[in-house]
Amino acid sequence: MDNENNFLKKNWLTLLLVALLGGVCFMRMKDREESKAKNETAAEKVDSAVSAKESVDSLAGTVAKVDSIPQEEVDSLKDAPVVKLRPSLVKGPACMVANTFESYYPRNVIDGNRATAWGLESYQGSGGTFTFRMPCRRLDHIVVWNGNWGEMGAWEDNARVRRLTISKRNAAGETTKIGTFALSNRHQSQTLRFDFDAPETRDIETLIITASGKYRGILFQDLYLAELAFFGNK
């Protein structure tokens, strides 16, 4: 016991210094832990803020990209219904008069009756040109009944048209060729279709159709064209 007291008396200063140093070390460790915790909390807040900003930026970028996409031009004709058009004949080629009771007038090609026809007698020339007044925004297709569809055997006996050349005239009086179309030598209707996007098939005021060439008939060379039906957008 005396020895312990003597030790404490002799070394009290050292013991005091050791205790003080221990307390200082403990306080420093505690401060470090608190500082670390604060730093981690601050870092989490910063990360959260950055993440939120990135989300907003990402959303803004998405919106910007959508807005920057060029809008396709609206074409009203794409949704417009294709209907049968009713042209009026302005001018037609000379017709063949078969007898007192029957004539093959140019107007027969748009009378809605394929049993009637337009005809040229003993055809040897360059054909005939029809001019129709037909205001329409777009011409989609034409159905053709070639030859004479009237009496039994008339189709084979007489000549049929080989080609149709089609042009348009707009409101300004400008004429543009749409194309030349070969007709088949078959006793059935034929459909001539046009390019939807082709500018020459749009804004038509007058349609000009020239019939030329022929498929020879078995007995006669009178040229016939029975009917034309027009379809497009009014």
Side-chain angles (χ1 to χ4, degrees), residues 30-86:
K30 184 177 180 182
D31 289 342
R32 286 179 182 176
E33 291 295 329
E34 290 179 353
S35 179
K36 182 178 179 182
K38 288 180 180 179
N39 290 336
E40 289 177 352
T41 301
E44 289 177 359
K45 290 181 178 180
V46 170
D47 290 342
S48 178
V50 170
S51 177
K53 185 176 184 303
E54 288 176 348
S55 298
V56 171
D57 291 344
S58 175
L59 181 60
T62 302
V63 173
K65 288 179 180 178
V66 171
D67 291 341
S68 65
I69 296 175
Q71 295 297 317
E72 184 177 347
E73 291 185 9
V74 177
D75 190 339
S76 61
L77 296 184
K78 286 187 177 180
D79 298 323
V82 174
V83 298
K84 188 173 183 179
L85 303 171
R86 301 290 181 183

Side-chain angles (χ1 to χ4, degrees), residues 132-204:
F132 302 97
R133 175 169 169 74
M134 191 176 62
C136 67
R137 292 188 294 164
R138 177 174 69 95
L139 184 63
D140 186 83
H141 64 277
I142 299 175
V143 181
V144 182
W145 286 264
N146 195 12
N148 188 341
W149 287 56
E151 299 174 357
M152 183 69 67
W155 192 88
E156 294 88 353
D157 289 344
N158 295 280
R160 284 81 59 189
V161 176
R162 185 179 288 270
R163 291 179 299 275
L164 291 180
T165 299
I166 303 174
S167 302
K168 72 135 185 198
R169 186 176 296 132
N170 61 19
E174 301 167 330
T175 301
T176 306
K177 182 179 177 180
I178 295 175
T180 297
F181 302 85
L183 300 180
S184 66
N185 190 26
R186 292 179 293 177
H187 190 201
Q188 62 186 47
S189 64
Q190 304 170 54
T191 301
L192 311 180
R193 296 194 177 277
F194 305 102
D195 181 4
F196 178 89
D197 295 318
E200 58 267 22
T201 64
R202 301 191 177 204
D203 303 320
I204 298 172

Side-chain angles (χ1 to χ4, degrees), residues 199-212:
E200 58 267 22
T201 64
R202 301 191 177 204
D203 303 320
I204 298 172
E205 286 293 323
T206 303
L207 200 68
I208 304 163
I209 298 181
T210 299
S212 60

Side-chain angles (χ1 to χ4, degrees), residues 87-96 104-111 117-120 123 126-134 142 144-146 161 163-169 175 183 206-212 223-228 230:
S88 57
L89 182 66
V90 176
K91 184 179 179 182
C95 67
M96 180 180 69
Y104 298 94
Y105 296 115
R107 64 173 180 266
N108 289 347
V109 298
I110 55 169
D111 65 355
W118 158 77
L120 284 180
Y123 169 73
S126 58
T129 298
F130 300 85
T131 302
F132 302 97
R133 175 169 169 74
M134 191 176 62
I142 299 175
V144 182
W145 286 264
N146 195 12
V161 176
R163 291 179 299 275
L164 291 180
T165 299
I166 303 174
S167 302
K168 72 135 185 198
R169 186 176 296 132
T175 301
L183 300 180
T206 303
L207 200 68
I208 304 163
I209 298 181
T210 299
S212 60
L223 183 67
Y224 287 93
L225 181 64
E227 192 72 19
L228 299 171
F230 305 89

